[in-house]
Amino acid sequence: MKIFKTLAAATLLLAGATACDNSNDIDVDPVVNLVLNPNVSFTTAKNISDNSWAIYDAPTYNFKINTQTFNVSLETVKLNYAEGKTISFTLENLLLSVDPQNNAWTITNRNPLVVRDTDGNDHEIAGFNAYIFSTGRAPEIVRIEYTLDNAYKIRGVMKYNAFTGKTTITAASPALEPYENESTVYFLILNHKDKKAKILLYDAKFAQGMPRPLDMDFLSQPFTVADEGIMINVPEGFDPLNNNTPYPNWKVSDLDLVMNPCRSLDGSFTCGGSFTVAVDTESAITINSDVLRKMTVAMGNY
């Protein structure tokens, strides 16, 4: 399962993440330096005392990954986690585990770690978990989670998120049988400043008799943050776009989606006034080259 193996390079270039080794030969030097710049992600932070979530600009995460000793250090620069509160810190002795079947790396800490910030104050980091898809010389960070001082739950949320899986369509008309497909790609581009998600569908098909699949733009819809992840709830109807043209025949209403970052996109919406669409997807495993090209263009334009 090589998720985003091709998309990773485009994401890294457009979003500002870089990866390199300490020499010109990755087979000689086992250390990989991976930098996640702020423009590829943003931070969601939960105040555990009152269960409220807030959104902030992302810090810079600098990973130094030793693929020989399976040891990782992480420098975090300017993490905003509460109003007026910023911290920079370094974590040592994080553990790297490799899943060769899924082409993925996981970085964790077994026990809480005490770090000292630049002002000389001590803080506790617990439950650290970073998930990385290794794509040769351009690994891609897709999830970062940890708890700070047992008071704030921190999540790094990526701005670009693609999902595929099962789409199930039922129709009000009894003459139409339920229809399923696994071809529809859901691509969400998150703007944390406006708290809106641009929702793009590629190769969408809502009935067996549709002559061809559609590319649909669900426009920029508001989102909120909760324990479950990114929540998109838009009961009002709107006309999606097809090739930048409003498509009233497929008016969308009752849009209700939950995005669990780098895990799943679930929910439902009504389309065309008669089709109920159920979404049950996971982070994209493979994306065909034509859809990938369209996604890359959308990333550059948003």
Side-chain angles (χ1 to χ4, degrees):
M1 183 174 67
K2 298 184 178 180
I3 305 175
F4 288 160
K5 184 169 180 65
T6 308
L7 181 61
T11 302
L12 290 164
L13 289 171
L14 287 169
T18 57
C20 61
D21 59 307
N22 283 345
S23 73
N24 291 327
D25 189 346
I26 198 167
D27 294 326
V28 173
D29 195 326
V31 175
V32 176
N33 294 316
L34 180 59
V35 180
L36 184 68
N37 290 329
N39 54 344
V40 74
S41 65
F42 58 93
T43 297
T44 62
K46 178 183 178 180
N47 186 328
I48 295 175
S49 65
D50 63 11
N51 293 319
S52 63
W53 284 91
I55 300 174
Y56 303 99
D57 289 340
T60 299
Y61 290 104
N62 299 288
F63 286 88
K64 182 174 286 187
I65 302 168
N66 192 313
T67 58
Q68 187 173 71
T69 64
F70 294 91
N71 185 269
V72 180
S73 65
L74 168 65
E75 180 188 24
T76 302
V77 182
K78 295 184 68 175
L79 168 72
N80 297 294
Y81 62 93
E83 193 64 36
K85 294 185 178 181
T86 303
I87 180 177
S88 297
F89 59 88
T90 299
L91 294 175
E92 302 286 354
N93 299 315
L94 294 170
L95 302 177
L96 171 69
S97 60
V98 178
D99 181 356
Q101 180 177 356
N102 291 330
N103 206 37
W105 300 346
T106 301
I107 298 171
T108 58
N109 66 300
R110 288 198 181 116
N111 302 306
L113 299 174
V114 175
V115 298
R116 180 159 293 176
D117 65 20
T118 52
D119 295 324
N121 301 311
D122 287 341
H123 299 269
E124 182 180 277
I125 305 293
F128 185 89
N129 184 287
Y131 196 62
I132 298 171
F133 298 135
S134 173
T135 56
R137 297 177 66 90
E140 181 188 4
I141 302 169
V142 290
R143 184 173 74 241
I144 299 175
E145 299 175 330
Y146 52 95
T147 300
L148 174 64
D149 292 334
N150 201 33
Y152 298 94
K153 176 69 176 179
I154 308 298
R155 288 178 182 160
V157 180
M158 302 302 116
K159 292 183 178 180
Y160 307 105
N161 304 268
F163 302 90
T164 60
K166 185 167 65 175
T167 297
T168 305
I169 300 94
T170 54
S173 171
L176 294 175
E177 294 289 332
Y179 170 72
E180 290 184 0
N181 75 70
E182 296 185 356
S183 61
T184 303
V185 177
Y186 299 84
F187 188 39
L188 275 64
I189 304 177
L190 305 179
N191 184 326
H192 72 290
K193 298 288 189 182
D194 296 337
K195 297 181 182 178
K196 288 188 175 182
K198 187 173 184 62
I199 305 170
L200 300 167
L201 277 63
Y202 299 103
D203 289 347
K205 196 172 181 181
F206 300 120
Q208 186 67 48
M210 282 182 63
R212 59 182 178 83
L214 299 173
D215 292 342
M216 304 180 76
D217 183 344
F218 280 15
L219 315 177
S220 292
Q221 304 296 345
F223 71 79
T224 57
V225 182
D227 290 355
E228 297 83 355
I230 303 297
M231 316 289 288
I232 304 169
N233 185 271
V234 185
E236 300 82 8
F238 60 88
D239 292 342
L241 302 182
N242 176 247
N243 292 324
N244 295 316
T245 301
Y247 216 62
N249 289 344
W250 295 102
K251 181 180 287 292
V252 173
S253 62
D254 300 314
L255 179 67
D256 188 9
L257 298 174
V258 180
M259 192 195 90
N260 190 335
C262 187
R263 291 183 177 91
S264 61
L265 178 71
D266 299 293
S268 61
F269 57 91
T270 299
C271 192
S274 60
F275 296 95
T276 299
V277 182
V279 180
D280 181 10
T281 62
E282 297 178 348
S283 291
I285 296 175
T286 57
I287 301 172
N288 71 54
S289 58
D290 183 55
V291 170
L292 178 62
R293 177 186 58 79
K294 295 173 185 177
M295 291 168 61
T296 305
V297 171
M299 290 165 60
N301 289 338
Y302 193 65

